[in-house]
Amino acid sequence: MSIFYYLMYKIRRLKTAAWILVFIVLATACSSSKGIYSPEKKYSPAELQADYLLFRKILETSHPSIYWYTPKDSMNEYFEKGLHDLSDSMTEIQFRDELAYVISKLDCGHTSVKGSKAFNKYIDTATSLAFPFALKFWSDTMVITANLRRRDPILQRGTIVKSINGYTAKTLTDTLFNYITTDGYSINGKYQSLSTGFAFANLYKNVIGLTDSFDVRYIDADGMESQAYVKPYDFKADTMNKKTLSHGPPAKGSGKKKEKPSFYLSSVNLQLDTVMKTGFMTVATFDRSNHLRKFFKSSFRVLKENHIKNLIIDVRSNGGGDAGLSTLLTRYIADHKFKLADSLYTIKPPSEYKKYIQHGFWYGLLISVVTKKDKDGKLHFRYFEKHYYSPKEKNHYDGQVFILIGGNSFSATTLFAGDLKGQKNVTLVGEETGGGYYGNTAWIIPDVTLPNTGLRFRLPRFRMVISNERIKNGRGIMPDVWALPTAEAIRDGIDFKAMKVKELISQQDRITIQDTENK
């Protein structure tokens, strides 16, 4: 991966002067614009259809995995349905939902719709009505995980909800899953996406729509089904302690010596129980800004110095990042050589579409440097198709490893967990990952901007088959030991996956003691 980023660095150095000029032009254009964004603005059918046809053409000609999971004839039907729905004027949000519906049929978790830049600036300061609580979904169950009205005496965290305005959990998921992307057929990835933060609240508002009040049927403290009417949350009228919703204090100081806020370090950390000889490592991202190389180096040194025999690695909320960093972590644990991919290739988009693709020229130049056209007509990244990584020698960890995975484990995280699955001293605990076990489409992921509405969508450029020997069923990585949620665990704030690992470690210790006594 280092070669990839080295090339990116060199190309960026060459284009610095050009980007300075572009920045001046854009800054001038922005300063002269006095328009105020309105979410109620509607675009004509002609404008929407023009953007939509461009959206379709770019996907059909430039997405390397458009028909990986959905056959071409089926995708054509979805594309035609989307175009048919554009017979009337629409707001940006309405049009975005139309695109999201079509994109979800690709079953590519790295392809998604984004609001226009103007919309994103507007939404940062907007105050409006909202669906009042967040929900955790699984199977046919939905449970409240957060309520914007924190003093609500009834609908508290852990409350099982049977229906909302007559919509059951199954009805809601069957409807909203049509607007959520995941890799292949990993349905757990969609459950987790819907359960993350207030994702459900936003989708409910945009797709189903808010009403003056919600008829909520729920299970009360006596185990009986009860009914409550709840109004939408009004950010203007309702009182809310904004401090509790903040991510932490702002950074202090200036320049390189600026102190990072407390939440910055929470995404990666290592805790040790020196009595039980157990380490708990949280790796919530593989983003390069978190100085993970230094963190891994010091962490595995500490593990060795303290003779830690059990290591729990939590990647449940890790959505991915730099594959070079996930590979580095793998090398500290793997007992075998491994490759990133058996196949890694892209296709060249038609020149007329490059102007809509973010950094289209520069990414095209980069791809021409690192890839080579093969007999199949695809541009293959041969370095990663042939290069094997060896386990780290210094501070390599040989104890028992328990990796916590779930629906939000995605992209580079599935490279890490997938390469270690089946290793004798490694146990995967939790739920199916949202990221594909067999492969995915990612690496370079520029935004594409549609000219009329300004809506953007992500266009992953490289299709990766991690291993041809893996099952090609389109699913995520399955855990070795399942740990599933319960309403009681959510209500009481119990980390049920971590509890399962503690049980496994206790069982392992008892077996070790018995074997010692028998000898």
Side-chain angles (χ1 to χ4, degrees), residues 1 286 293 296 322-334 338-341 384 387-392 412-413 415-416 419-420 443 464:
M1 203 61 184
F286 284 117
R293 292 185 182 277
F296 292 150
D322 185 350
L325 293 173
S326 66
T327 299
L328 177 60
L329 179 57
T330 307
R331 293 179 64 202
Y332 276 106
I333 301 168
F338 62 94
K339 286 195 302 182
L340 277 184
F384 290 111
H387 182 73
Y388 279 86
Y389 293 89
S390 299
K392 278 276 187 180
T413 304
L415 299 181
F416 163 67
D419 281 324
L420 294 173
W443 286 64
M464 170 189 280

Side-chain angles (χ1 to χ4, degrees), residues 357-404:
I357 301 174
Q358 181 187 31
H359 308 327
F361 172 79
W362 300 110
Y363 280 136
L365 180 60
L366 172 62
I367 289 172
S368 68
V369 172
V370 301
T371 65
K372 185 176 181 180
K373 193 171 184 178
D374 205 346
K375 295 178 181 179
D376 59 6
K378 309 295 193 304
L379 301 173
H380 284 258
F381 205 148
R382 287 302 186 198
Y383 175 81
F384 290 111
E385 291 180 340
K386 295 181 178 181
H387 182 73
Y388 279 86
Y389 293 89
S390 299
K392 278 276 187 180
E393 294 183 4
K394 188 175 182 180
N395 296 325
H396 186 273
Y397 187 79
D398 300 310
Q400 293 296 314
V401 180
F402 301 88
I403 303 176
L404 301 182

Side-chain angles (χ1 to χ4, degrees), residues 215-439:
D215 177 3
V216 179
R217 308 294 173 96
Y218 66 97
I219 303 300
D220 62 23
D222 297 322
M224 303 296 291
E225 183 172 320
S226 297
Q227 181 180 24
Y229 288 94
V230 182
K231 292 184 177 181
Y233 189 87
D234 188 338
F235 283 94
K236 292 182 179 179
D238 291 324
T239 301
M240 181 172 60
N241 183 357
K242 294 183 179 179
K243 185 177 180 181
T244 62
L245 296 181
S246 69
H247 294 289
K252 298 179 180 180
S254 60
K256 293 183 178 179
K257 295 184 178 180
K258 182 181 290 185
E259 295 180 12
K260 298 176 180 62
S262 58
F263 70 89
Y264 179 89
L265 299 176
S266 65
S267 59
V268 289
N269 63 72
L270 175 67
Q271 300 176 26
L272 300 182
D273 183 339
T274 54
V275 175
M276 301 301 295
K277 296 299 180 183
T278 298
F280 195 103
M281 179 184 289
T282 299
V283 185
T285 180
F286 284 117
D287 189 277
R288 284 181 291 159
S289 65
N290 283 267
H291 309 289
L292 286 173
R293 292 185 182 277
K294 183 177 180 181
F295 170 73
F296 292 150
K297 182 178 180 179
S298 61
S299 294
F300 283 97
R301 184 186 70 246
V302 168
L303 292 171
K304 186 172 184 178
E305 290 172 350
N306 287 274
H307 307 288
I308 300 300
K309 63 180 183 179
N310 298 302
L311 175 60
I312 304 167
I313 303 179
D314 186 356
V315 291
R316 288 172 289 181
S317 59
N318 192 324
D322 185 350
L325 293 173
S326 66
T327 299
L328 177 60
L329 179 57
T330 307
R331 293 179 64 202
Y332 276 106
I333 301 168
D335 62 4
H336 56 281
K337 291 183 178 181
F338 62 94
K339 286 195 302 182
L340 277 184
D342 280 344
S343 176
L344 182 63
Y345 69 77
T346 186
I347 55 178
K348 187 177 181 180
S351 58
E352 64 263 31
Y353 300 138
K354 287 184 179 180
K355 62 183 178 180
Y356 304 107
I357 301 174
Q358 181 187 31
H359 308 327
F361 172 79
W362 300 110
Y363 280 136
L365 180 60
L366 172 62
I367 289 172
S368 68
V369 172
V370 301
T371 65
K372 185 176 181 180
K373 193 171 184 178
D374 205 346
K375 295 178 181 179
D376 59 6
K378 309 295 193 304
L379 301 173
H380 284 258
F381 205 148
R382 287 302 186 198
Y383 175 81
F384 290 111
E385 291 180 340
K386 295 181 178 181
H387 182 73
Y388 279 86
Y389 293 89
S390 299
K392 278 276 187 180
E393 294 183 4
K394 188 175 182 180
N395 296 325
H396 186 273
Y397 187 79
D398 300 310
Q400 293 296 314
V401 180
F402 301 88
I403 303 176
L404 301 182
I405 59 174
N408 286 329
S409 302
F410 193 73
S411 195
T413 304
T414 54
L415 299 181
F416 163 67
D419 281 324
L420 294 173
K421 183 174 174 61
Q423 186 169 306
K424 187 176 181 181
N425 66 325
V426 175
T427 304
L428 305 185
V429 181
E431 301 171 81
E432 179 185 4
T433 63
Y437 182 44
Y438 178 68

